[in-house]
Amino acid sequence: MTEEISAPKRPAQKLAVWGTVGEAYAVWFANLGLWLKLSIVPVVILIGLKAIAPSAMSDANSADAGAAGAAAAVFMLFAVIVYLSEIPLATAWHRFILTHGDTTSHRYLVGRREWRYLLKALLITLVILLVSLVIGLLMGAVLIPVILAGTEGGAVANLPWLGAATGFFTLLVYAALGYFLGHLFLMLPGAAIGRQISMKDTRAAVRGNEWRLIGVYIVALLPIWIVGTILTWPVDGTPVLSANDMLGHVPALFFAPVIVGVVSVSYRELVQKPEAAVGGIGG
């Protein structure tokens, strides 16, 4: 049964960036056997989709827009299937880190908590997309008049600063999203262990640790970005993996225990421990 919890009533301790990521790695390495066991279903699904991908997405590079679009739709469907297969994996790892005594739930299960986890993930995605859209419109309102003012005869003039300005604004967007919305991901471990925590509560729990939480996410995601960049970097003009290759998901799956782990540890430090300290519901 889902339990309602509230945000801590006192300031949470400072979140240790390197300590949080280091603990996620330590838990992963110390329990590699359990992780491999939990990963069986997603890996089998990924291999199966990789096997049928050549025939299902044979028109991915077609000049025909309709055929290429259909192939892209199939790729997106495959990506969704892989993501759904990873939800029981993620919830089990959340529970393993946060509820050591509940060993019966440290398995690949599909139940009410997984469905709540999925709904929370969809809610987070929707909120981030909506906020990104608003920020994008605001950026367009600022940049487009500047670009139009620098055009001559309908052609864009030489604006060497345009790329730097766009990059700077993009960086600001990511920083703003992380600062104001990074706390939303703490709803996921709560859903995994059957605790209901609202966006308002996660915001209150993270207060004072916004930049530290961003640091945790960046350090945890950096290996995925590096490996993904290497795999898609052109070698003699051809990338190791194409953009529509299902194996491009391997880095995210491989480092998933770190990503799930840092969110779990952050939840424990910012929600569970402060709750317990003031006599709230423990996790």
Side-chain angles (χ1 to χ4, degrees):
M1 184 175 180
T2 302
E3 296 182 60
E4 292 283 345
I5 64 175
S6 299
K9 302 303 181 183
R10 66 176 181 83
Q13 64 180 15
K14 294 300 181 183
L15 185 66
V17 176
W18 293 106
T20 299
V21 179
E23 182 176 347
Y25 273 101
V27 171
W28 179 26
F29 293 155
N31 300 277
L32 188 58
L34 175 61
W35 176 259
L36 293 176
K37 181 179 178 180
L38 293 171
S39 302
I40 291 175
V41 173
V43 169
V44 169
I45 290 177
L46 183 60
I47 292 174
L49 293 178
K50 169 63 178 177
I52 65 176
S55 58
M57 296 185 291
S58 58
D59 297 325
N61 299 316
S62 173
D64 183 358
V74 172
F75 175 77
M76 289 298 299
L77 175 62
F78 283 4
V80 169
I81 292 173
V82 172
Y83 173 76
L84 292 176
S85 73
E86 291 175 347
I87 287 180
L89 170 65
T91 55
W93 201 248
H94 281 305
R95 290 192 291 267
F96 176 71
I97 294 176
L98 297 171
T99 60
H100 292 289
D102 185 16
T103 55
T104 58
S105 68
H106 303 161
R107 296 179 292 133
Y108 190 93
L109 302 171
V110 178
R112 186 175 302 174
R113 286 178 290 191
E114 282 65 41
W115 285 111
R116 288 201 183 98
Y117 190 96
L118 174 59
L119 292 176
K120 292 289 186 183
L122 292 175
L123 174 62
I124 293 170
T125 301
L126 179 61
V127 171
I128 291 177
L129 287 176
L130 289 176
V131 174
S132 299
L133 176 61
V134 172
I135 294 177
L137 292 174
L138 293 175
M139 283 181 61
V142 173
L143 292 177
I144 291 177
V146 176
I147 295 174
L148 292 177
T151 59
E152 297 177 355
V156 177
N158 183 22
L159 300 177
W161 50 266
L162 183 58
T166 303
F168 176 73
F169 275 106
T170 302
L171 183 61
L172 287 181
V173 169
Y174 282 122
L177 289 175
Y179 186 88
F180 292 107
L181 301 180
H183 65 92
L184 296 179
F185 293 98
L186 296 188
M187 293 193 298
L188 297 177
I193 63 175
R195 311 281 182 170
Q196 187 71 277
I197 181 169
S198 68
M199 290 186 283
K200 178 182 177 181
D201 289 336
T202 57
R203 180 64 180 166
V206 172
R207 187 171 294 120
N209 280 291
E210 291 88 351
W211 293 116
R212 291 173 179 269
L213 190 60
I214 291 175
V216 167
Y217 293 158
I218 291 175
V219 174
L221 290 170
L222 194 58
I224 298 178
W225 179 81
I226 292 174
V227 174
T229 300
I230 293 174
L231 292 177
T232 56
W233 194 266
V235 178
D236 295 329
T238 303
V240 177
L241 292 178
S242 62
N244 59 352
D245 195 319
M246 290 304 300
L247 292 182
H249 189 73
V250 169
L253 179 58
F254 181 78
F255 288 103
V258 179
I259 305 303
V260 175
V262 297
V263 178
S264 294
V265 174
S266 299
Y267 176 89
R268 185 194 67 204
E269 296 299 314
L270 300 178
V271 178
Q272 281 188 328
K273 285 187 175 181
E275 282 275 336
V278 295
I281 298 173

